[in-house]
Amino acid sequence: MDAGTPPSQASPTSTDPVEVSAFRAARGLVLDRIARAAERAGRDPAAIGLVAVSKTVGPPRVRAAVAAGLAVLGENRVQEGEDKRGLVGPATWHLIGPLQSNKVRRAVAAFAVIQSVDSLELARRIDRLVADVRGAGMRLPVFLQVNVDEDPAKAGHSPDRLAADLPELASLAGLELLGLMTIGRLVAEPGEARPTFVALRRLSERLRADVPALGPGLSMGMSADFEVAVEEGATLVRVGRALFGDRSASEAGGVG
Ligand SMILES: *Cc1c(COP(=O)(O)O)cnc(C)c1O
């Protein structure tokens, strides 16, 4: 589509009021669960942010979600984020999925925050492109993704690697290190994810004692386990299915 085309036909601002109120209710429920988990842990619920993971959800529904107050959206693919950005009202976009080196420039242009910085090499590449894409002196807020459980199938710095690389990561002037991010294990019971979240919090505390440039942010917890993550110190939870419903077919691999 030509970027100069007037938006009248696509009507990118129209929303279905029924859908908006459904999202308002879903958002309320999730915020409530966050608040109760925070209170159980003696934490201030206002200290916990919600990223609505809109991957695979079409622009009209994402628009309704934004109209319902879900202002921070998470996408795991650069292309999908780029495509939706112009079709959804004003929102803050986070990249939460793996970033290939040939898409870094586009990601830096399209996303406000990159949560999935999973290697020193990727961090260096982002750093080199930030000034170019955003202007001299600008910094891109990022999270450093950690493979806490050292699962060979998962992306992320191993805790030891991160400790070794952190001084250089902290020296990259184009990055603002908001904190650490992890993806919990796929577990049968939410409580089984707890050790992963505890380990990320402890790792953050340990690393920040030596490198204060690493921010205190902890992005952890998804639909299946965000309450446990909040109990263990999450400052940002990434919630998809509990807001948008199941992603079915393409991702679930068929009817169960
Ligand atoms: C899909 C995804 C989420 C959200 O998962 P839900 O189970 O839908 O809440 C969170 N974080 C990452 C990195 C994801 O890819």
Side-chain angles (χ1 to χ4, degrees):
M1 207 203 289
D2 176 35
T5 303
S8 54
Q9 285 188 325
S11 88
T13 52
S14 69
T15 49
D16 176 345
V18 175
E19 224 155 41
V20 174
S21 62
F23 277 121
R24 218 171 261 133
R27 173 178 178 267
L29 282 175
V30 167
L31 290 180
D32 224 57
R33 289 170 61 187
I34 291 172
R36 275 182 281 139
E39 277 152 20
R40 282 197 293 279
R43 302 185 59 208
D44 178 2
I48 298 132
L50 172 61
V51 176
V53 177
S54 53
K55 65 188 182 193
T56 78
V57 180
R61 292 191 71 224
V62 181
R63 216 152 49 221
V66 171
L70 293 163
V72 183
L73 301 172
E75 289 286 340
N76 65 340
R77 309 180 74 169
V78 174
Q79 180 78 50
E80 198 176 332
E82 287 175 331
D83 291 347
K84 283 181 195 168
R85 233 161 46 111
L87 300 171
V88 171
T92 301
W93 296 85
H94 287 215
L95 182 66
I96 61 171
L99 178 53
Q100 291 160 4
S101 56
N102 62 337
K103 291 187 182 157
V104 172
R105 178 180 290 275
R106 286 162 53 193
V108 168
F111 291 90
V113 177
I114 297 179
Q115 291 206 15
S116 41
V117 177
D118 57 10
S119 71
L120 176 58
E121 196 196 351
L122 175 59
R124 285 178 180 143
R125 191 177 285 267
I126 294 171
D127 177 59
R128 283 197 298 272
L129 289 168
V130 167
D132 216 37
V133 175
R134 300 197 165 199
M138 299 301 284
R139 298 166 84 203
L140 183 84
V142 303
F143 285 82
L144 302 172
Q145 184 173 348
V146 187
N147 187 355
V148 178
D149 302 317
E150 309 211 36
D151 174 350
K154 266 199 212 135
H157 307 258
S158 75
D160 286 348
R161 184 82 249 166
L162 181 59
D165 290 345
L166 191 57
E168 181 177 345
L169 287 161
S171 77
L172 300 172
L175 302 188
E176 179 187 1
L177 305 181
L178 296 180
L180 305 182
M181 177 273 223
T182 199
I183 300 175
R185 277 173 292 185
L186 197 63
V187 292
E189 289 286 321
E192 292 174 42
R194 192 180 301 276
T196 303
F197 301 146
V198 171
L200 191 73
R201 185 188 71 225
R202 293 202 177 129
L203 178 66
S204 166
E205 287 164 359
R206 184 160 65 81
L207 295 174
R208 294 185 68 234
D210 291 332
V211 183
L214 175 63
L218 291 175
S219 173
M220 56 189 196
M222 323 202 307
S223 292
D225 53 21
F226 68 88
E227 287 150 304
V228 177
V230 166
E231 287 171 10
E232 297 304 339
T235 64
L236 207 54
V237 294
R238 310 178 306 268
V239 177
R241 288 170 299 141
L243 293 166
F244 292 101
D246 279 339
R247 281 181 296 275
S248 72
S250 60
E251 292 210 347
V255 183

